[in-house]
Amino acid sequence: MRLRLEFTTEPFDLDEPPEHAVVARGVVQQAALENVEVGPFGTTAEGAAEDVLAAVQLVLHRSLEVGATRISLQLNALGDGPERGA
């Protein structure tokens, strides 16, 4: 199964990305994930379920360790193939 991950860490800082956002972005960019898109208010990525779930665990732990006070995330099942789902 493939999953799509979308997440945001808080608190926001519009002047400079906070450390928890930088750390979370780094986790996702270093993971075995595809279609990684980093934006000012959230990050998305796709991949095999085991890779996405491993990345989620690291995002949660590492972001909280460096000051995140809230992490909002959503996982969508895309099915088994490499094609993008809704």
Side-chain angles (χ1 to χ4, degrees):
M1 173 182 294
R2 291 180 53 77
L3 298 175
R4 178 182 296 126
L5 164 66
E6 300 177 44
F7 71 90
T8 303
T9 62
E10 296 179 40
F12 293 118
D13 183 340
L14 296 178
D15 295 325
E16 184 176 323
E19 185 177 4
H20 56 80
V22 173
V23 166
R25 178 178 61 216
V27 167
V28 172
Q29 290 175 327
Q30 293 175 7
L33 302 179
E34 305 151 11
N35 301 319
V36 175
E37 295 183 22
V38 177
F41 299 108
T43 300
T44 62
E46 297 176 7
E50 58 272 8
D51 296 331
V52 172
L53 295 174
V56 165
Q57 182 178 19
L58 285 174
V59 165
L60 294 175
H61 284 286
R62 292 186 181 165
S63 297
L64 290 169
E65 287 174 351
V66 295
T69 58
R70 178 180 175 141
I71 304 167
S72 303
L73 68 90
Q74 179 174 328
L75 291 174
N76 293 313
L78 302 178
D80 293 327
E83 69 278 350
R84 295 183 68 151

